[in-house]
């Protein structure tokens, strides 16, 4: 059974804030994805690298690399859908927090994680 989540980064441009986010299929609860994010993804650079990978099957300690599943993966590497050849797995952009929440609902996410500089990770349960 999966616990789906959406992982987002807030991007400030003057007074405007947009969000880039990816879907994560497994272990989206705070003790899973939440703990991984707050332990291993604590810099904007690492988070941007993770978001750039696109939608994930599983989040792990390292962002992993964009390669086919036929190659060996480290047990600590995150697995992106593009690694198995899936298309249209890039991050989505939202122009408001409401649009970001709607994207989370659209992907049946149960949790939404948002990185804001200065605040760190925030987690909210997705309201259906």
């Amino acid at each position: 059974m999966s616990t789906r989540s959406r992982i987002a980064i807030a991007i400030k441009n003057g007074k405007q804030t947009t969000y880039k986010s990816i879907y994560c299929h497994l272990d989206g609860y705070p003790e899973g994805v939440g703990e991984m994010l707050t332990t291993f993804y604590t810099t904007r650079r690492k988070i941007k690298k993770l978001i750039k990978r696109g939608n994930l099957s599983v989040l792990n300690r390292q962002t992993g690399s964009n390669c086919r599943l036929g190659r060996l993966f480290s047990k600590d590497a995150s697995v992106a859908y593009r690694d198995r050849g899936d298309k249209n797995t890039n991050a989505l952009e939202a122009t408001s927090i409401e649009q970001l929440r709607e994207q989370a609902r659209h992907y049946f996410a149960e949790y939404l994680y948002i990185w804001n500089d200065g605040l760190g990770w925030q987690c909210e349960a997705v309201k259906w």
Side-chain angles (χ1 to χ4, degrees), residues 6-9 19-21 92 94-105 112-114:
R6 196 126 195 110
I7 302 167
I9 186 169
Y19 302 87
K20 280 201 171 184
S21 70
L92 297 179
T95 57
S96 68
I97 190 70
E98 292 81 18
Q99 186 180 23
L100 176 63
R101 289 178 178 136
E102 182 55 37
Q103 290 170 349
R105 283 190 290 274
L112 174 61
Y113 297 92
I114 307 168

Side-chain angles (χ1 to χ4, degrees), residues 21-37:
S21 70
I22 57 174
Y23 168 80
C24 185
H25 188 69
L26 293 174
D27 299 332
Y29 49 89
E31 297 82 12
V33 165
E35 189 172 320
M36 279 289 167
L37 292 171

Side-chain angles (χ1 to χ4, degrees), residues 11-125:
I11 302 164
K12 298 205 185 243
N13 187 4
K15 291 183 180 182
Q16 176 71 27
T17 300
T18 59
Y19 302 87
K20 280 201 171 184
S21 70
I22 57 174
Y23 168 80
C24 185
H25 188 69
L26 293 174
D27 299 332
Y29 49 89
E31 297 82 12
V33 165
E35 189 172 320
M36 279 289 167
L37 292 171
T38 58
T39 303
F40 300 105
Y41 295 90
T42 57
T43 66
R44 184 170 190 78
R45 182 174 175 260
K46 276 188 158 182
I47 297 161
K48 284 175 76 175
K49 186 176 177 183
L50 178 68
I51 298 290
K52 189 175 182 178
R53 299 247 8 255
N55 295 338
L56 302 174
S57 177
V58 63
L59 175 68
N60 219 320
R61 296 172 183 219
Q62 300 171 6
T63 56
S65 62
N66 292 328
C67 61
R68 297 286 184 175
L69 283 177
R71 298 183 188 165
L72 293 176
F73 280 98
S74 160
K75 67 178 180 175
D76 292 331
S78 298
V79 179
Y81 285 125
R82 71 175 60 170
D83 294 335
R84 65 182 191 192
D86 287 14
K87 306 288 185 214
N88 302 315
T89 64
N90 292 333
L92 297 179
E93 190 166 319
T95 57
S96 68
I97 190 70
E98 292 81 18
Q99 186 180 23
L100 176 63
R101 289 178 178 136
E102 182 55 37
Q103 290 170 349
R105 283 190 290 274
H106 177 77
Y107 278 83
F108 303 103
E110 297 171 61
Y111 293 96
L112 174 61
Y113 297 92
I114 307 168
W115 172 267
N116 281 288
D117 292 336
L119 297 174
W121 286 108
Q122 297 172 296
C123 173
E124 58 182 69

